[in-house]
Every structure is written in structure tokens, then in C-alpha cells.
Amino acid sequence: MKVGLYFGSFNPIHIGHLIIASFMENSTDLDQVWFVVSPQNPLKPSAVLLNEYHRLHLVRAAVEDNDRLKVSDIEFHLPKPSYTIDTLAYLHERHPQHEFSIILGSDGYQNLCRWKNGDLLAERYKMYVYRRKGFDVSPTPNATIVDAPLLDISSTLIRQWIKEGKSIRYLVPDAVRREIEINRYYK
């Protein structure tokens, strides 16, 4: 099975993330997309992160009714911070029957040189790169550039609106919004 791995903090997951994942599973040769929730991204400050298990629960709530979108907690079982190259090695050991690819934005792709063994990742793994405004990229033998529909929504904006008491309805799935409201996340 061809599996696209969509790594992220998902702090919180929002409609933009889901549109990208849905587009990838519908418009490429991928059989499934797995959201890989990263407990701690080495390139981002962890001070603003909601507890990793709460973020994992929100992602599960967002995709619970879609059998082609899955959630992985694989990085919860690896040393922190998480490095994509190590996660992929572990996934290959646990799921040798799958062919793994990486889904990332053109901003992340441009920063691949900052990732642990980024050159090795680019050489060994197929990548599906969706364009992000201001980050132009060109295809390479292992990188397919995808023009996925993009919304100018960010987790940062959502967290800010929650702090300001504004509605996040339509920015996140209803199940995610309910969990955030009930548990008073990001207040």
C-alpha cells in the first residue's frame, strides 16, 4: 500500500490540513494519508503546544469517519525531538509491506537542508510537495509538485481567535471545535 505521511504539530488541526490530505489521497497514487502527530518538532518552539495527547485526540476526532485518512502516534514512541528520518526507519521496520512518501509544503521542502539527513530523505523518499504562497519550487526526480487548494488558515490564527473569544466555527471540524470548547483548550 502507498502511504503518504503528513507530519505536523497540528496545534490544532484545521480545515486547511484536511483539505491538503483529502486532495493528496484523491489526486495522487496514494492509497492512504497518515497524519503523523509530532510531540515536539525540533524546528519549532514547544512552549505554545497543547499537550501532545490532546492534539492527537483532536486529529483522531477530525478524521474518524474517513477510512483513507489515518492518524499515527508513532513519534510518541520515539526519542524527542522527532526526526523524520528516524520515524521513517521505524515505520519501515513495523510496516515493511507499505511504501511511504512524505507530504509537505513548499516552505518545508525549501528548508529540507535544515532537517536531520534532509539530503538522504530527498534521495530515498518520494515527496508530494504542495505549493505555498511565496515559496516557489521545481520538481525533482523524487519530488512531485502538487497544486492543492490552499486556504490562508493557520493554527496560530485559530489559537489567537480562541484567546480573543472569537468563533472558530468552519475553521476546524465540528468535532474538533466541540472538544476545544468543552476542554477550554488554548484559553
Side-chain angles (χ1 to χ4, degrees), residues 8-9 12 55 60 64 66 73 78 102 113-114 133 181:
S9 300
R55 289 183 285 120
R60 285 184 173 145
E64 67 186 346
N66 188 327
D73 65 354
L78 298 173
I102 301 169
C113 60
R114 294 179 53 208
K133 188 176 179 180
E181 290 171 355

Side-chain angles (χ1 to χ4, degrees), residues 3 5 84-93 98-104 109 112 117-128 140-144:
V3 176
L5 301 174
T84 304
I85 193 81
D86 299 333
T87 302
L88 282 159
Y90 191 68
L91 281 169
H92 276 292
E93 286 178 22
H98 295 326
E99 179 183 327
F100 293 104
S101 301
I102 301 169
I103 297 170
L104 72 165
Y109 186 71
L112 210 52
N117 300 108
D119 53 343
L120 194 59
L121 281 170
E123 179 184 310
R124 286 191 182 169
Y125 295 97
K126 183 171 184 175
M127 298 189 182
Y128 293 91
T140 64
N142 275 352
T144 300

Side-chain angles (χ1 to χ4, degrees), residues 131-143:
R131 295 183 198 273
R132 300 217 37 197
K133 188 176 179 180
F135 297 94
D136 293 329
V137 290
S138 300
T140 64
N142 275 352

Side-chain angles (χ1 to χ4, degrees), residues 26-39:
N26 281 304
S27 301
T28 67
D29 61 346
L30 295 173
D31 298 306
Q32 288 185 342
V33 172
W34 293 3
F35 286 88
V36 181
V37 180
S38 300

Side-chain angles (χ1 to χ4, degrees), residues 19-68:
I19 288 172
I20 300 262
S22 178
F23 185 86
M24 291 296 180
E25 59 107 354
N26 281 304
S27 301
T28 67
D29 61 346
L30 295 173
D31 298 306
Q32 288 185 342
V33 172
W34 293 3
F35 286 88
V36 181
V37 180
S38 300
Q40 181 184 351
N41 179 326
L43 299 178
K44 289 185 178 181
S46 59
V48 298
L49 289 178
L50 184 67
N51 173 283
E52 61 222 47
Y53 290 97
H54 297 319
R55 289 183 285 120
L56 179 68
H57 176 71
L58 292 176
V59 177
R60 285 184 173 145
V63 301
E64 67 186 346
D65 61 347
N66 188 327
D67 61 351
R68 290 188 63 197

